Amino acid sequence: MSEITGPAAAALASLCSDDVIFLQSLPKAELHAHLNGSIPIKTILELAQQYSPSSAQTTEVADTIEKLKSGVILNDIFDFFSLMPAIYALTSTPEAVVITTRAVLQSFLNSTNDGVESPQCTYLELRTTPRKTTHMTREKYLTVVLDEVEMYPATQAALIVSVDRRMSDLDVEECINLAIEMKNRGRRVVGIDVCGDPRSGDMRSFTQHLSRVKDAGLGLTVHIAESTNNTTEDSLALLSCRPDRLGHATFLSDELKALFFEDIPQPGTECSSLSESELPNNAPANGQYKPCIEICLSSNLLCKTVASLDAHHIRYYLKNNHPIVICTDDALPFGTSCLGEYSLLLAQPPLGLGLSRDDVARVAQMGIDAAFSRPRD
Ligand code: 6MZ
């Protein structure tokens, strides 16, 4: 397993060895991990050695590698996205995608500590955006990734196909069609994700494509309200597709939570600054809607969308007994691991949330229950 740094490392270092053994032996599902954000630094360095770029890219790649080696410091979440072009330059051929995917799967599922097999998680739903480059089509990219994922049993690994908020309508359609075709051919695609820079894209035009996902038997997860730039209309458009899981949901308003989630108390009859015409047909939440929230603690702290663990929205969901899953998001820039993220639950404040072992085990089980590979209702 790669070295971890930052808040996760501090939390882990504060635990006694019994607690670490407890966390290591806990069955865990990692459901929100981006392939190109989870590459071990050792693999990045190997890829950099084989890389023969144009001179403009050389400097960008070298600068980004330096940042990744020394610990990334972000001013805000938007800084995060500036790391991706250099990583993408290193993973732009099918051969590099094979190396990358294999290394990421191994880092989650085959890690050893002091010679003892101690996988970070028991089940991984890895996600990635099918990328077209001069060396490969989107279909080739997905095929190569799936070939690696399918080396593991279905009880251990599966793939979510991401569409990026920056994509054109046509590209979104192409990616979703590809995911559905792959699933129909028996390949291990289990869901669709919407990711990318929260400032970009009009989610109202994405919904026509997202609404086909569930009928195709795929799960749907969306990054929602990850930054203060995400508007109510943006969240409403995404919620109108009734995603099975929500990524981050950091700035989802109490009003929207009360309106959509069955277990969140209505704030009162004064609820609504939203006019009727703004609400999607299926808005009222007296149905059975309880989407699992994908919580990425280190990611939120390092992207500075959340000021401290004390202020983190996980507390709200824990208090309301709403399903959550604990995830790494991008283990490389955020210097974390599944063990690191679970340490943030168990460590005493201010390094962690100070949950009991029973509560941590309950949270881990919620994650397992939220996997797309389980038959959905
Ligand atoms: C939104 C994110 C993200 O798909 O190329 N990605 N999107 N919010 C985040 N929070 C920090 N972290 C990663 O993996 C990299 C891509 O995942 C998305 C971004 O679109 C990024 O380019 P893949 O494997």
Side-chain angles (χ1 to χ4, degrees), residues 159-161 175-184 187-193 210-221 242-244 372-374 376:
L159 189 73
I160 296 175
V161 172
C175 289
I176 293 182
N177 285 348
L178 252 179
I180 295 173
E181 269 166 43
M182 294 275 187
K183 182 194 162 17
N184 291 343
R187 305 296 315 249
R188 208 179 298 151
V189 177
V190 292
I192 295 288
D193 159 52
L210 298 179
S211 56
R212 293 189 291 128
V213 165
K214 291 216 211 170
D215 285 345
L218 291 169
L220 178 63
T221 176
R242 297 230 162 192
D244 303 286
F372 287 153
S373 63
R374 293 166 62 93
R376 276 182 311 283

PDB file of all heavy atoms in Angstrom, residues 159-161 175-184 187-193 210-221 242-244 372-374 376:
ATOM      1  N   LEU A 159     -16.919  -2.310 -12.327  1.00  0.00           N
ATOM      2  CA  LEU A 159     -16.602  -0.997 -12.902  1.00  0.00           C
ATOM      3  C   LEU A 159     -17.836  -0.103 -13.033  1.00  0.00           C
ATOM      4  O   LEU A 159     -18.905  -0.555 -13.448  1.00  0.00           O
ATOM      5  CB  LEU A 159     -15.978  -1.176 -14.291  1.00  0.00           C
ATOM      6  CG  LEU A 159     -15.420   0.128 -14.875  1.00  0.00           C
ATOM      7  CD1 LEU A 159     -14.132   0.543 -14.162  1.00  0.00           C
ATOM      8  CD2 LEU A 159     -15.171   0.009 -16.373  1.00  0.00           C
ATOM      9  N   ILE A 160     -17.623   1.155 -12.701  1.00  0.00           N
ATOM     10  CA  ILE A 160     -18.626   2.200 -12.942  1.00  0.00           C
ATOM     11  C   ILE A 160     -18.071   3.072 -14.064  1.00  0.00           C
ATOM     12  O   ILE A 160     -16.899   3.462 -14.024  1.00  0.00           O
ATOM     13  CB  ILE A 160     -18.830   3.055 -11.666  1.00  0.00           C
ATOM     14  CG1 ILE A 160     -19.411   2.196 -10.543  1.00  0.00           C
ATOM     15  CG2 ILE A 160     -19.726   4.251 -11.955  1.00  0.00           C
ATOM     16  CD1 ILE A 160     -19.524   2.933  -9.202  1.00  0.00           C
ATOM     17  N   VAL A 161     -18.882   3.367 -15.065  1.00  0.00           N
ATOM     18  CA  VAL A 161     -18.441   4.233 -16.164  1.00  0.00           C
ATOM     19  C   VAL A 161     -18.823   5.673 -15.834  1.00  0.00           C
ATOM     20  O   VAL A 161     -19.998   5.974 -15.603  1.00  0.00           O
ATOM     21  CB  VAL A 161     -19.085   3.784 -17.500  1.00  0.00           C
ATOM     22  CG1 VAL A 161     -18.791   4.780 -18.610  1.00  0.00           C
ATOM     23  CG2 VAL A 161     -18.585   2.386 -17.879  1.00  0.00           C
ATOM     24  N   CYS A 175     -20.855   7.610 -24.257  1.00  0.00           N
ATOM     25  CA  CYS A 175     -20.339   6.865 -23.090  1.00  0.00           C
ATOM     26  C   CYS A 175     -21.426   5.996 -22.465  1.00  0.00           C
ATOM     27  O   CYS A 175     -21.165   4.852 -22.080  1.00  0.00           O
ATOM     28  CB  CYS A 175     -19.798   7.838 -22.033  1.00  0.00           C
ATOM     29  SG  CYS A 175     -18.269   8.611 -22.542  1.00  0.00           S
ATOM     30  N   ILE A 176     -22.627   6.547 -22.370  1.00  0.00           N
ATOM     31  CA  ILE A 176     -23.696   5.767 -21.740  1.00  0.00           C
ATOM     32  C   ILE A 176     -24.103   4.602 -22.651  1.00  0.00           C
ATOM     33  O   ILE A 176     -24.308   3.473 -22.188  1.00  0.00           O
ATOM     34  CB  ILE A 176     -24.878   6.680 -21.335  1.00  0.00           C
ATOM     35  CG1 ILE A 176     -24.400   7.607 -20.203  1.00  0.00           C
ATOM     36  CG2 ILE A 176     -26.100   5.858 -20.903  1.00  0.00           C
ATOM     37  CD1 ILE A 176     -25.412   8.551 -19.641  1.00  0.00           C
ATOM     38  N   ASN A 177     -24.153   4.855 -23.953  1.00  0.00           N
ATOM     39  CA  ASN A 177     -24.445   3.752 -24.884  1.00  0.00           C
ATOM     40  C   ASN A 177     -23.401   2.651 -24.757  1.00  0.00           C
ATOM     41  O   ASN A 177     -23.730   1.461 -24.709  1.00  0.00           O
ATOM     42  CB  ASN A 177     -24.448   4.250 -26.336  1.00  0.00           C
ATOM     43  CG  ASN A 177     -25.702   5.029 -26.654  1.00  0.00           C
ATOM     44  OD1 ASN A 177     -26.659   5.010 -25.875  1.00  0.00           O
ATOM     45  ND2 ASN A 177     -25.703   5.738 -27.770  1.00  0.00           N
ATOM     46  N   LEU A 178     -22.146   3.072 -24.689  1.00  0.00           N
ATOM     47  CA  LEU A 178     -21.058   2.094 -24.567  1.00  0.00           C
ATOM     48  C   LEU A 178     -21.198   1.261 -23.297  1.00  0.00           C
ATOM     49  O   LEU A 178     -21.045   0.033 -23.321  1.00  0.00           O
ATOM     50  CB  LEU A 178     -19.728   2.842 -24.474  1.00  0.00           C
ATOM     51  CG  LEU A 178     -18.792   2.807 -25.651  1.00  0.00           C
ATOM     52  CD1 LEU A 178     -17.561   3.636 -25.350  1.00  0.00           C
ATOM     53  CD2 LEU A 178     -18.396   1.377 -25.994  1.00  0.00           C
ATOM     54  N   ALA A 179     -21.498   1.954 -22.196  1.00  0.00           N
ATOM     55  CA  ALA A 179     -21.634   1.247 -20.916  1.00  0.00           C
ATOM     56  C   ALA A 179     -22.766   0.223 -21.006  1.00  0.00           C
ATOM     57  O   ALA A 179     -22.616  -0.928 -20.560  1.00  0.00           O
ATOM     58  CB  ALA A 179     -21.906   2.248 -19.795  1.00  0.00           C
ATOM     59  N   ILE A 180     -23.873   0.624 -21.601  1.00  0.00           N
ATOM     60  CA  ILE A 180     -25.025  -0.287 -21.700  1.00  0.00           C
ATOM     61  C   ILE A 180     -24.693  -1.471 -22.619  1.00  0.00           C
ATOM     62  O   ILE A 180     -24.969  -2.628 -22.292  1.00  0.00           O
ATOM     63  CB  ILE A 180     -26.294   0.479 -22.181  1.00  0.00           C
ATOM     64  CG1 ILE A 180     -26.702   1.514 -21.116  1.00  0.00           C
ATOM     65  CG2 ILE A 180     -27.445  -0.488 -22.479  1.00  0.00           C
ATOM     66  CD1 ILE A 180     -27.836   2.447 -21.521  1.00  0.00           C
ATOM     67  N   GLU A 181     -24.046  -1.155 -23.758  1.00  0.00           N
ATOM     68  CA  GLU A 181     -23.654  -2.238 -24.686  1.00  0.00           C
ATOM     69  C   GLU A 181     -22.732  -3.236 -23.995  1.00  0.00           C
ATOM     70  O   GLU A 181     -22.884  -4.446 -24.119  1.00  0.00           O
ATOM     71  CB  GLU A 181     -22.877  -1.645 -25.865  1.00  0.00           C
ATOM     72  CG  GLU A 181     -23.739  -1.263 -27.044  1.00  0.00           C
ATOM     73  CD  GLU A 181     -22.916  -0.368 -27.981  1.00  0.00           C
ATOM     74  OE1 GLU A 181     -21.713  -0.673 -28.236  1.00  0.00           O
ATOM     75  OE2 GLU A 181     -23.465   0.646 -28.397  1.00  0.00           O
ATOM     76  N   MET A 182     -21.752  -2.701 -23.265  1.00  0.00           N
ATOM     77  CA  MET A 182     -20.788  -3.569 -22.562  1.00  0.00           C
ATOM     78  C   MET A 182     -21.518  -4.448 -21.552  1.00  0.00           C
ATOM     79  O   MET A 182     -21.260  -5.642 -21.457  1.00  0.00           O
ATOM     80  CB  MET A 182     -19.743  -2.730 -21.822  1.00  0.00           C
ATOM     81  CG  MET A 182     -18.853  -1.943 -22.723  1.00  0.00           C
ATOM     82  SD  MET A 182     -17.488  -2.985 -23.257  1.00  0.00           S
ATOM     83  CE  MET A 182     -16.465  -1.843 -24.124  1.00  0.00           C
ATOM     84  N   LYS A 183     -22.417  -3.846 -20.806  1.00  0.00           N
ATOM     85  CA  LYS A 183     -23.164  -4.628 -19.813  1.00  0.00           C
ATOM     86  C   LYS A 183     -23.960  -5.730 -20.519  1.00  0.00           C
ATOM     87  O   LYS A 183     -23.955  -6.883 -20.092  1.00  0.00           O
ATOM     88  CB  LYS A 183     -24.115  -3.722 -19.027  1.00  0.00           C
ATOM     89  CG  LYS A 183     -24.875  -4.484 -17.961  1.00  0.00           C
ATOM     90  CD  LYS A 183     -26.023  -3.730 -17.408  1.00  0.00           C
ATOM     91  CE  LYS A 183     -27.054  -4.525 -16.676  1.00  0.00           C
ATOM     92  NZ  LYS A 183     -26.833  -5.826 -16.203  1.00  0.00           N
ATOM     93  N   ASN A 184     -24.620  -5.366 -21.636  1.00  0.00           N
ATOM     94  CA  ASN A 184     -25.423  -6.353 -22.361  1.00  0.00           C
ATOM     95  C   ASN A 184     -24.577  -7.478 -22.939  1.00  0.00           C
ATOM     96  O   ASN A 184     -25.055  -8.584 -23.154  1.00  0.00           O
ATOM     97  CB  ASN A 184     -26.251  -5.683 -23.459  1.00  0.00           C
ATOM     98  CG  ASN A 184     -27.344  -4.809 -22.853  1.00  0.00           C
ATOM     99  OD1 ASN A 184     -27.664  -4.951 -21.664  1.00  0.00           O
ATOM    100  ND2 ASN A 184     -27.917  -3.909 -23.633  1.00  0.00           N
ATOM    101  N   ARG A 187     -20.149  -7.818 -19.917  1.00  0.00           N
ATOM    102  CA  ARG A 187     -18.970  -7.248 -19.262  1.00  0.00           C
ATOM    103  C   ARG A 187     -19.387  -6.656 -17.912  1.00  0.00           C
ATOM    104  O   ARG A 187     -20.547  -6.312 -17.692  1.00  0.00           O
ATOM    105  CB  ARG A 187     -18.329  -6.151 -20.152  1.00  0.00           C
ATOM    106  CG  ARG A 187     -17.974  -6.581 -21.551  1.00  0.00           C
ATOM    107  CD  ARG A 187     -16.919  -7.659 -21.659  1.00  0.00           C
ATOM    108  NE  ARG A 187     -15.738  -7.547 -20.863  1.00  0.00           N
ATOM    109  CZ  ARG A 187     -14.510  -7.300 -21.338  1.00  0.00           C
ATOM    110  NH1 ARG A 187     -14.314  -7.127 -22.632  1.00  0.00           N
ATOM    111  NH2 ARG A 187     -13.465  -7.268 -20.529  1.00  0.00           N
ATOM    112  N   ARG A 188     -18.389  -6.494 -17.011  1.00  0.00           N
ATOM    113  CA  ARG A 188     -18.730  -6.160 -15.627  1.00  0.00           C
ATOM    114  C   ARG A 188     -18.879  -4.659 -15.355  1.00  0.00           C
ATOM    115  O   ARG A 188     -18.242  -4.108 -14.473  1.00  0.00           O
ATOM    116  CB  ARG A 188     -17.733  -6.799 -14.676  1.00  0.00           C
ATOM    117  CG  ARG A 188     -18.397  -7.067 -13.327  1.00  0.00           C
ATOM    118  CD  ARG A 188     -17.464  -7.714 -12.348  1.00  0.00           C
ATOM    119  NE  ARG A 188     -16.987  -9.006 -12.771  1.00  0.00           N
ATOM    120  CZ  ARG A 188     -15.805  -9.504 -12.402  1.00  0.00           C
ATOM    121  NH1 ARG A 188     -14.988  -8.810 -11.627  1.00  0.00           N
ATOM    122  NH2 ARG A 188     -15.425 -10.700 -12.812  1.00  0.00           N
ATOM    123  N   VAL A 189     -19.755  -4.021 -16.124  1.00  0.00           N
ATOM    124  CA  VAL A 189     -20.108  -2.621 -15.852  1.00  0.00           C
ATOM    125  C   VAL A 189     -21.344  -2.652 -14.959  1.00  0.00           C
ATOM    126  O   VAL A 189     -22.336  -3.292 -15.304  1.00  0.00           O
ATOM    127  CB  VAL A 189     -20.453  -1.870 -17.160  1.00  0.00           C
ATOM    128  CG1 VAL A 189     -20.887  -0.443 -16.859  1.00  0.00           C
ATOM    129  CG2 VAL A 189     -19.271  -1.878 -18.113  1.00  0.00           C
ATOM    130  N   VAL A 190     -21.258  -1.981 -13.803  1.00  0.00           N
ATOM    131  CA  VAL A 190     -22.399  -2.046 -12.873  1.00  0.00           C
ATOM    132  C   VAL A 190     -23.100  -0.700 -12.683  1.00  0.00           C
ATOM    133  O   VAL A 190     -24.170  -0.642 -12.079  1.00  0.00           O
ATOM    134  CB  VAL A 190     -21.978  -2.606 -11.488  1.00  0.00           C
ATOM    135  CG1 VAL A 190     -21.588  -4.068 -11.596  1.00  0.00           C
ATOM    136  CG2 VAL A 190     -20.867  -1.772 -10.851  1.00  0.00           C
ATOM    137  N   GLY A 191     -22.498   0.383 -13.188  1.00  0.00           N
ATOM    138  CA  GLY A 191     -23.158   1.666 -12.958  1.00  0.00           C
ATOM    139  C   GLY A 191     -22.591   2.789 -13.798  1.00  0.00           C
ATOM    140  O   GLY A 191     -21.616   2.622 -14.534  1.00  0.00           O
ATOM    141  N   ILE A 192     -23.262   3.926 -13.675  1.00  0.00           N
ATOM    142  CA  ILE A 192     -22.841   5.176 -14.338  1.00  0.00           C
ATOM    143  C   ILE A 192     -22.643   6.223 -13.252  1.00  0.00           C
ATOM    144  O   ILE A 192     -23.400   6.265 -12.274  1.00  0.00           O
ATOM    145  CB  ILE A 192     -23.946   5.659 -15.316  1.00  0.00           C
ATOM    146  CG1 ILE A 192     -24.149   4.687 -16.472  1.00  0.00           C
ATOM    147  CG2 ILE A 192     -23.663   7.080 -15.827  1.00  0.00           C
ATOM    148  CD1 ILE A 192     -23.025   4.658 -17.510  1.00  0.00           C
ATOM    149  N   ASP A 193     -21.628   7.063 -13.466  1.00  0.00           N
ATOM    150  CA  ASP A 193     -21.329   8.154 -12.531  1.00  0.00           C
ATOM    151  C   ASP A 193     -21.277   9.457 -13.319  1.00  0.00           C
ATOM    152  O   ASP A 193     -20.882   9.465 -14.484  1.00  0.00           O
ATOM    153  CB  ASP A 193     -19.954   7.853 -11.896  1.00  0.00           C
ATOM    154  CG  ASP A 193     -19.260   9.077 -11.318  1.00  0.00           C
ATOM    155  OD1 ASP A 193     -19.899   9.798 -10.528  1.00  0.00           O
ATOM    156  OD2 ASP A 193     -18.075   9.311 -11.646  1.00  0.00           O
ATOM    157  N   LEU A 210     -29.231  10.218 -18.607  1.00  0.00           N
ATOM    158  CA  LEU A 210     -29.161   9.529 -17.311  1.00  0.00           C
ATOM    159  C   LEU A 210     -30.440   8.750 -17.024  1.00  0.00           C
ATOM    160  O   LEU A 210     -30.419   7.724 -16.350  1.00  0.00           O
ATOM    161  CB  LEU A 210     -28.918  10.548 -16.185  1.00  0.00           C
ATOM    162  CG  LEU A 210     -27.606  11.334 -16.266  1.00  0.00           C
ATOM    163  CD1 LEU A 210     -27.492  12.315 -15.106  1.00  0.00           C
ATOM    164  CD2 LEU A 210     -26.399  10.388 -16.268  1.00  0.00           C
ATOM    165  N   SER A 211     -31.557   9.238 -17.574  1.00  0.00           N
ATOM    166  CA  SER A 211     -32.828   8.561 -17.269  1.00  0.00           C
ATOM    167  C   SER A 211     -32.894   7.183 -17.921  1.00  0.00           C
ATOM    168  O   SER A 211     -33.749   6.377 -17.578  1.00  0.00           O
ATOM    169  CB  SER A 211     -34.007   9.434 -17.697  1.00  0.00           C
ATOM    170  OG  SER A 211     -33.860   9.720 -19.057  1.00  0.00           O
ATOM    171  N   ARG A 212     -31.967   6.862 -18.848  1.00  0.00           N
ATOM    172  CA  ARG A 212     -31.970   5.522 -19.486  1.00  0.00           C
ATOM    173  C   ARG A 212     -31.185   4.494 -18.671  1.00  0.00           C
ATOM    174  O   ARG A 212     -31.272   3.296 -18.909  1.00  0.00           O
ATOM    175  CB  ARG A 212     -31.318   5.607 -20.871  1.00  0.00           C
ATOM    176  CG  ARG A 212     -32.106   6.433 -21.875  1.00  0.00           C
ATOM    177  CD  ARG A 212     -31.514   6.274 -23.255  1.00  0.00           C
ATOM    178  NE  ARG A 212     -30.210   6.907 -23.358  1.00  0.00           N
ATOM    179  CZ  ARG A 212     -29.108   6.300 -23.809  1.00  0.00           C
ATOM    180  NH1 ARG A 212     -29.131   5.032 -24.172  1.00  0.00           N
ATOM    181  NH2 ARG A 212     -27.963   6.950 -23.880  1.00  0.00           N
ATOM    182  N   VAL A 213     -30.407   5.021 -17.716  1.00  0.00           N
ATOM    183  CA  VAL A 213     -29.429   4.166 -17.046  1.00  0.00           C
ATOM    184  C   VAL A 213     -30.080   3.049 -16.236  1.00  0.00           C
ATOM    185  O   VAL A 213     -29.709   1.878 -16.335  1.00  0.00           O
ATOM    186  CB  VAL A 213     -28.529   5.059 -16.145  1.00  0.00           C
ATOM    187  CG1 VAL A 213     -27.743   4.243 -15.158  1.00  0.00           C
ATOM    188  CG2 VAL A 213     -27.617   5.917 -17.008  1.00  0.00           C
ATOM    189  N   LYS A 214     -31.070   3.426 -15.440  1.00  0.00           N
ATOM    190  CA  LYS A 214     -31.653   2.427 -14.535  1.00  0.00           C
ATOM    191  C   LYS A 214     -32.429   1.363 -15.304  1.00  0.00           C
ATOM    192  O   LYS A 214     -32.410   0.192 -14.936  1.00  0.00           O
ATOM    193  CB  LYS A 214     -32.540   3.122 -13.523  1.00  0.00           C
ATOM    194  CG  LYS A 214     -31.740   3.960 -12.553  1.00  0.00           C
ATOM    195  CD  LYS A 214     -32.368   3.903 -11.211  1.00  0.00           C
ATOM    196  CE  LYS A 214     -32.154   5.164 -10.457  1.00  0.00           C
ATOM    197  NZ  LYS A 214     -32.979   5.160  -9.247  1.00  0.00           N
ATOM    198  N   ASP A 215     -33.107   1.790 -16.398  1.00  0.00           N
ATOM    199  CA  ASP A 215     -33.853   0.809 -17.206  1.00  0.00           C
ATOM    200  C   ASP A 215     -32.910  -0.219 -17.805  1.00  0.00           C
ATOM    201  O   ASP A 215     -33.309  -1.342 -18.097  1.00  0.00           O
ATOM    202  CB  ASP A 215     -34.602   1.511 -18.352  1.00  0.00           C
ATOM    203  CG  ASP A 215     -35.821   2.241 -17.824  1.00  0.00           C
ATOM    204  OD1 ASP A 215     -36.215   1.949 -16.674  1.00  0.00           O
ATOM    205  OD2 ASP A 215     -36.358   3.114 -18.540  1.00  0.00           O
ATOM    206  N   ALA A 216     -31.664   0.178 -18.001  1.00  0.00           N
ATOM    207  CA  ALA A 216     -30.685  -0.756 -18.561  1.00  0.00           C
ATOM    208  C   ALA A 216     -30.117  -1.679 -17.486  1.00  0.00           C
ATOM    209  O   ALA A 216     -29.232  -2.489 -17.752  1.00  0.00           O
ATOM    210  CB  ALA A 216     -29.568   0.029 -19.229  1.00  0.00           C
ATOM    211  N   GLY A 217     -30.591  -1.515 -16.257  1.00  0.00           N
ATOM    212  CA  GLY A 217     -30.127  -2.402 -15.178  1.00  0.00           C
ATOM    213  C   GLY A 217     -28.830  -1.941 -14.544  1.00  0.00           C
ATOM    214  O   GLY A 217     -28.155  -2.714 -13.852  1.00  0.00           O
ATOM    215  N   LEU A 218     -28.461  -0.676 -14.789  1.00  0.00           N
ATOM    216  CA  LEU A 218     -27.232  -0.144 -14.187  1.00  0.00           C
ATOM    217  C   LEU A 218     -27.590   0.744 -12.998  1.00  0.00           C
ATOM    218  O   LEU A 218     -28.659   1.372 -12.983  1.00  0.00           O
ATOM    219  CB  LEU A 218     -26.470   0.688 -15.219  1.00  0.00           C
ATOM    220  CG  LEU A 218     -25.850  -0.084 -16.382  1.00  0.00           C
ATOM    221  CD1 LEU A 218     -25.362   0.868 -17.469  1.00  0.00           C
ATOM    222  CD2 LEU A 218     -24.697  -0.970 -15.895  1.00  0.00           C
ATOM    223  N   GLY A 219     -26.681   0.831 -12.031  1.00  0.00           N
ATOM    224  CA  GLY A 219     -26.858   1.761 -10.919  1.00  0.00           C
ATOM    225  C   GLY A 219     -26.476   3.168 -11.384  1.00  0.00           C
ATOM    226  O   GLY A 219     -25.740   3.331 -12.358  1.00  0.00           O
ATOM    227  N   LEU A 220     -26.974   4.157 -10.669  1.00  0.00           N
ATOM    228  CA  LEU A 220     -26.630   5.545 -11.009  1.00  0.00           C
ATOM    229  C   LEU A 220     -26.110   6.260  -9.769  1.00  0.00           C
ATOM    230  O   LEU A 220     -26.737   6.244  -8.707  1.00  0.00           O
ATOM    231  CB  LEU A 220     -27.866   6.282 -11.556  1.00  0.00           C
ATOM    232  CG  LEU A 220     -27.652   7.765 -11.906  1.00  0.00           C
ATOM    233  CD1 LEU A 220     -26.628   7.935 -13.033  1.00  0.00           C
ATOM    234  CD2 LEU A 220     -28.977   8.431 -12.313  1.00  0.00           C
ATOM    235  N   THR A 221     -24.934   6.880  -9.916  1.00  0.00           N
ATOM    236  CA  THR A 221     -24.405   7.728  -8.850  1.00  0.00           C
ATOM    237  C   THR A 221     -23.988   9.052  -9.481  1.00  0.00           C
ATOM    238  O   THR A 221     -23.559   9.071 -10.645  1.00  0.00           O
ATOM    239  CB  THR A 221     -23.217   7.058  -8.116  1.00  0.00           C
ATOM    240  OG1 THR A 221     -22.701   8.004  -7.156  1.00  0.00           O
ATOM    241  CG2 THR A 221     -22.090   6.641  -9.038  1.00  0.00           C
ATOM    242  N   ARG A 242     -33.324  10.365  -9.749  1.00  0.00           N
ATOM    243  CA  ARG A 242     -33.311   9.456  -8.585  1.00  0.00           C
ATOM    244  C   ARG A 242     -32.071   8.566  -8.531  1.00  0.00           C
ATOM    245  O   ARG A 242     -32.166   7.316  -8.573  1.00  0.00           O
ATOM    246  CB  ARG A 242     -34.572   8.604  -8.573  1.00  0.00           C
ATOM    247  CG  ARG A 242     -35.814   9.437  -8.416  1.00  0.00           C
ATOM    248  CD  ARG A 242     -36.686   8.890  -7.323  1.00  0.00           C
ATOM    249  NE  ARG A 242     -37.617   9.928  -6.916  1.00  0.00           N
ATOM    250  CZ  ARG A 242     -38.370   9.878  -5.845  1.00  0.00           C
ATOM    251  NH1 ARG A 242     -38.297   8.847  -5.054  1.00  0.00           N
ATOM    252  NH2 ARG A 242     -39.183  10.854  -5.543  1.00  0.00           N
ATOM    253  N   PRO A 243     -30.899   9.186  -8.436  1.00  0.00           N
ATOM    254  CA  PRO A 243     -29.680   8.358  -8.358  1.00  0.00           C
ATOM    255  C   PRO A 243     -29.724   7.420  -7.150  1.00  0.00           C
ATOM    256  O   PRO A 243     -30.325   7.758  -6.131  1.00  0.00           O
ATOM    257  CB  PRO A 243     -28.563   9.399  -8.183  1.00  0.00           C
ATOM    258  CG  PRO A 243     -29.159  10.703  -8.576  1.00  0.00           C
ATOM    259  CD  PRO A 243     -30.621  10.615  -8.312  1.00  0.00           C
ATOM    260  N   ASP A 244     -29.090   6.271  -7.292  1.00  0.00           N
ATOM    261  CA  ASP A 244     -29.036   5.303  -6.178  1.00  0.00           C
ATOM    262  C   ASP A 244     -28.067   5.786  -5.107  1.00  0.00           C
ATOM    263  O   ASP A 244     -28.219   5.479  -3.939  1.00  0.00           O
ATOM    264  CB  ASP A 244     -28.543   3.938  -6.684  1.00  0.00           C
ATOM    265  CG  ASP A 244     -29.417   3.418  -7.795  1.00  0.00           C
ATOM    266  OD1 ASP A 244     -30.533   2.986  -7.496  1.00  0.00           O
ATOM    267  OD2 ASP A 244     -28.990   3.485  -8.971  1.00  0.00           O
ATOM    268  N   PHE A 372     -23.459  -1.532  -6.102  1.00  0.00           N
ATOM    269  CA  PHE A 372     -24.329  -1.737  -7.264  1.00  0.00           C
ATOM    270  C   PHE A 372     -24.402  -3.194  -7.681  1.00  0.00           C
ATOM    271  O   PHE A 372     -25.301  -3.578  -8.410  1.00  0.00           O
ATOM    272  CB  PHE A 372     -23.809  -0.933  -8.465  1.00  0.00           C
ATOM    273  CG  PHE A 372     -24.035   0.544  -8.353  1.00  0.00           C
ATOM    274  CD1 PHE A 372     -23.185   1.426  -8.998  1.00  0.00           C
ATOM    275  CD2 PHE A 372     -25.101   1.060  -7.621  1.00  0.00           C
ATOM    276  CE1 PHE A 372     -23.385   2.790  -8.918  1.00  0.00           C
ATOM    277  CE2 PHE A 372     -25.304   2.424  -7.531  1.00  0.00           C
ATOM    278  CZ  PHE A 372     -24.439   3.295  -8.181  1.00  0.00           C
ATOM    279  N   SER A 373     -23.422  -3.977  -7.279  1.00  0.00           N
ATOM    280  CA  SER A 373     -23.422  -5.368  -7.727  1.00  0.00           C
ATOM    281  C   SER A 373     -24.524  -6.171  -7.048  1.00  0.00           C
ATOM    282  O   SER A 373     -24.858  -7.255  -7.475  1.00  0.00           O
ATOM    283  CB  SER A 373     -22.078  -6.012  -7.441  1.00  0.00           C
ATOM    284  OG  SER A 373     -21.867  -6.019  -6.050  1.00  0.00           O
ATOM    285  N   ARG A 374     -25.113  -5.610  -5.985  1.00  0.00           N
ATOM    286  CA  ARG A 374     -26.240  -6.294  -5.348  1.00  0.00           C
ATOM    287  C   ARG A 374     -27.471  -6.044  -6.192  1.00  0.00           C
ATOM    288  O   ARG A 374     -27.619  -4.987  -6.778  1.00  0.00           O
ATOM    289  CB  ARG A 374     -26.502  -5.702  -3.954  1.00  0.00           C
ATOM    290  CG  ARG A 374     -25.392  -5.973  -2.961  1.00  0.00           C
ATOM    291  CD  ARG A 374     -25.580  -5.090  -1.770  1.00  0.00           C
ATOM    292  NE  ARG A 374     -26.840  -5.367  -1.086  1.00  0.00           N
ATOM    293  CZ  ARG A 374     -26.955  -6.220  -0.076  1.00  0.00           C
ATOM    294  NH1 ARG A 374     -25.898  -6.871   0.350  1.00  0.00           N
ATOM    295  NH2 ARG A 374     -28.105  -6.424   0.498  1.00  0.00           N
ATOM    296  N   ARG A 376     -30.693  -4.570  -7.258  1.00  0.00           N
ATOM    297  CA  ARG A 376     -31.379  -3.368  -6.762  1.00  0.00           C
ATOM    298  C   ARG A 376     -32.883  -3.548  -6.778  1.00  0.00           C
ATOM    299  O   ARG A 376     -33.413  -4.292  -7.586  1.00  0.00           O
ATOM    300  CB  ARG A 376     -30.988  -2.160  -7.600  1.00  0.00           C
ATOM    301  CG  ARG A 376     -29.686  -1.546  -7.138  1.00  0.00           C
ATOM    302  CD  ARG A 376     -29.364  -0.341  -7.936  1.00  0.00           C
ATOM    303  NE  ARG A 376     -29.487  -0.622  -9.348  1.00  0.00           N
ATOM    304  CZ  ARG A 376     -28.598  -1.301 -10.064  1.00  0.00           C
ATOM    305  NH1 ARG A 376     -27.521  -1.768  -9.468  1.00  0.00           N
ATOM    306  NH2 ARG A 376     -28.769  -1.511 -11.326  1.00  0.00           N
TER     307      ARG A 376
END
